[in-house]
Amino acid sequence: MSGLNRTTTAILIWLLLLTMPYWMGALGGYTELGSRVLVLGLAAMSLNFLLGFTGVLSFGHAAYFGLGAYGVGMTLKYLVPSTPLGVLVGVAVGAIAAALIGALIVKLRGVYFAMVTIAFGQVFFFIAFRWNSVTGGDDGLTGWSRQALNLGFANIDIAGNDKAFYYFTLVLFAAAVGIMAVLLRSPFGRTLLAIRENERRARFLGIPVEQHIWLSFVISCLFVALAGTLYALLNNFTDPRALRWDQSGNFVIMAVLGGMRSFWGPLIGAAIFVVLQDYVSSHTENWMSFIGLFFVLVVLFFPRGVLGIIRRKAAP
């Protein structure tokens, strides 16, 4: 795909995101659904930073997604009723946990890395599940809600205005996506691609592979923790399911469905996943079967994902 087409794709996506609250209603959607697309799209793109551009598969990203969610919820409930501070605490908790765990597992590869990430994720899940007095256990963390933003010169009511919360989410999404794009175009990002393509050759060239994988893991988890904070704020609620390994599986499905090695593919995959889930689940409890079947068909016949199909159709 040419640079012009990449630019056109990016412009089209941003136009759709900027205007989403105004046209979703005409298609039977609603503003909260658009916010969910943004949040889970950010989570899938964060995972893809590690999976698609570094070549390392993690099935434990839900742990950091959930830590971000509990971080913001517990800050608002037990510490200070401040949405920005809650977001910062949630992101910091997820990033610190990722830095510590990443240092322990960075030398593992393949299925061993993926399985250990699941194991650590389940540790956090059972802590949240069992610590009823603090986390609410299986009933979830309740008794808190997102607060309006006080900018000094103005108050933005993201607490009671779904459209205002959507644009608050979009601003944070844009900042995260912009940072990821800059990183991937930098020498650091090119080094990650070299590791993905041939780790042995990258090591031979003198690249500190473990250090780069650890940093990629931490950056990826930092952004997925940000997505977790926004997910909790969207629902004014979080529970241990945000930490479960199958949530990580959903992120992987979104990334592969949209196009694992493309920048915008995971966002498209997340949009398809969220919209299908919302529509099909309103008609049957077996909604996951339909998504699973669609996922299998895409993987079998279009291994580059939905974005790969679009690019092929758009190519002259």
Side-chain angles (χ1 to χ4, degrees):
M1 196 177 193
S2 69
L4 179 60
N5 285 335
R6 289 180 188 276
T7 303
T8 303
T9 301
I11 291 172
L12 180 60
I13 287 173
W14 283 117
L15 284 175
L16 289 173
L17 293 179
L18 285 168
T19 58
M20 190 183 292
Y22 298 97
W23 54 260
M24 279 202 74
L27 300 179
Y30 47 97
T31 303
E32 186 181 343
L33 185 67
S35 298
R36 205 182 312 160
V37 168
L38 279 181
V39 170
L40 294 179
L42 175 58
M45 293 177 75
S46 302
L47 171 69
N48 195 53
F49 188 90
L50 180 68
L51 174 61
F53 295 103
T54 313
V56 178
L57 173 61
S58 167
F59 270 117
H61 263 48
Y64 313 101
F65 182 83
L67 285 173
Y70 273 100
V72 68
M74 292 171 72
T75 299
L76 287 168
K77 181 172 184 177
Y78 298 120
L79 299 178
V80 182
S82 168
T83 299
L85 180 61
V87 171
L88 289 174
V89 170
V91 171
V93 169
I96 291 170
L100 295 174
I101 293 171
L104 297 175
I105 66 176
V106 72
K107 292 186 178 180
L108 300 176
R109 294 293 181 273
V111 68
Y112 301 104
F113 186 95
M115 295 305 293
V116 171
T117 58
I118 291 177
F120 276 108
Q122 289 302 97
V123 169
F124 290 118
F125 168 78
F126 281 110
I127 290 173
F129 187 83
R130 295 291 184 184
W131 202 2
N132 291 26
S133 60
V134 175
T135 65
D138 193 36
D139 294 329
L141 186 67
T142 57
W144 62 277
S145 63
R146 62 181 184 259
Q147 301 296 306
L149 297 177
N150 185 357
L151 303 180
F153 57 89
N155 281 332
I156 301 178
D157 182 23
I158 63 170
N161 188 325
D162 287 342
K163 191 176 292 185
F165 180 75
Y166 173 85
Y167 284 107
F168 169 73
T169 303
L170 182 60
V171 168
L172 293 181
F173 173 87
V177 167
I179 293 170
M180 279 192 275
V182 169
L183 288 173
L184 289 172
R185 291 172 184 168
S186 70
F188 170 73
R190 301 303 179 188
T191 303
L192 295 182
L193 293 178
I195 293 171
R196 182 194 73 185
E197 295 301 321
N198 194 319
E199 181 181 326
R200 182 176 296 180
R201 185 173 294 176
R203 196 183 299 276
F204 178 76
L205 292 172
I207 295 173
V209 172
E210 279 76 21
Q211 181 180 337
H212 280 77
I213 290 177
W214 175 82
L215 197 53
S216 175
F217 179 76
V218 173
I219 292 169
S220 175
C221 293
L222 183 151
F223 287 123
V224 88
L226 174 61
T229 66
L230 294 172
Y231 192 73
L233 291 172
L234 171 64
N235 299 307
N236 289 319
F237 173 79
T238 190
D239 66 1
R241 285 176 293 180
L243 294 148
R244 266 181 22 177
W245 66 271
D246 54 341
Q247 181 74 281
S248 300
N250 288 341
F251 299 155
V252 175
I253 289 174
M254 293 172 196
V256 175
L257 186 62
M260 188 175 65
R261 293 193 174 186
S262 61
F263 187 74
W264 292 109
L267 175 62
I268 295 173
I272 294 170
F273 185 96
V274 170
V275 172
L276 275 179
Q277 178 188 20
D278 185 75
Y279 178 76
V280 179
S281 64
S282 65
H283 293 81
T284 175
E285 294 181 359
N286 300 317
W287 60 270
M288 198 62 189
S289 300
F290 291 90
I291 294 180
L293 177 61
F294 182 70
F295 176 72
V296 169
L297 292 174
V298 169
V299 170
L300 286 177
F301 298 105
F302 306 100
R304 293 185 179 273
V306 173
L307 187 58
I309 303 172
I310 296 172
R311 287 177 173 177
R312 186 186 302 177
K313 296 294 184 182

